[in-house]
Amino acid sequence: MKLMYTYILYCADDSFYVGVTNNIDRRFNEHEYGIKETAYTYSRRPVKLVYYKIFYSPMEAIRYEKQLKGWSRKKKIALIKGDIDELIRLSNEKKNGVDN
């Protein structure tokens, strides 16, 4: 069984990129060395791998990628920092209609 990774890159323009792959080292190198000029990260290099989570199911990894892509910047930062209390607070604000 091949492992899958959902990951977050921090880009030189202060943005985040969320992706999924079955080979985290290869995929990071593709981002870092700029394989595709049309790729989001191409003009935002250098990039830094700031978070990843391992999955055994491709569908779970893709589901998590889509979830993270929908998150606010603040929630992504809380996840990267491992600040679970802040993640919960931000999630509760969203549920109560407060924009985070």
Side-chain angles (χ1 to χ4, degrees):
M1 176 181 296
K2 205 163 206 174
L3 297 178
M4 296 295 295
Y5 302 83
T6 301
Y7 62 94
I8 301 175
L9 299 177
Y10 177 74
C11 301
D13 70 349
D14 199 38
S15 67
F16 291 112
Y17 175 84
V18 178
V20 66
T21 185
N22 62 7
N23 185 324
I24 194 79
D25 294 325
R26 175 191 49 78
R27 190 67 181 114
F28 176 77
N29 286 328
E30 290 172 356
H31 285 294
E32 183 64 16
Y33 295 112
I35 302 302
K36 283 179 68 175
E37 289 183 25
T38 58
Y40 178 85
T41 55
Y42 185 86
S43 64
R44 293 168 172 87
R45 294 174 291 153
V47 295
K48 180 179 180 184
L49 180 65
V50 292
Y51 173 85
Y52 69 90
K53 184 172 180 178
I54 299 171
F55 293 88
Y56 295 98
S57 160
M59 293 310 297
E60 289 296 316
I62 293 166
R63 189 174 298 123
Y64 191 56
E65 175 196 26
K66 288 179 181 179
Q67 178 183 1
L68 294 183
K69 284 183 174 186
W71 282 12
S72 68
R73 179 178 180 81
K74 288 180 183 179
K75 282 182 79 171
K76 289 174 188 166
I77 291 170
L79 176 67
I80 292 163
K81 290 181 175 180
D83 189 343
I84 303 305
D85 292 335
E86 180 68 357
L87 267 176
I88 292 168
R89 186 188 71 75
L90 291 167
S91 294
N92 288 335
E93 281 185 1
K94 180 142 184 142
K95 288 178 191 173
N96 295 324
V98 178
D99 189 19
N100 55 34

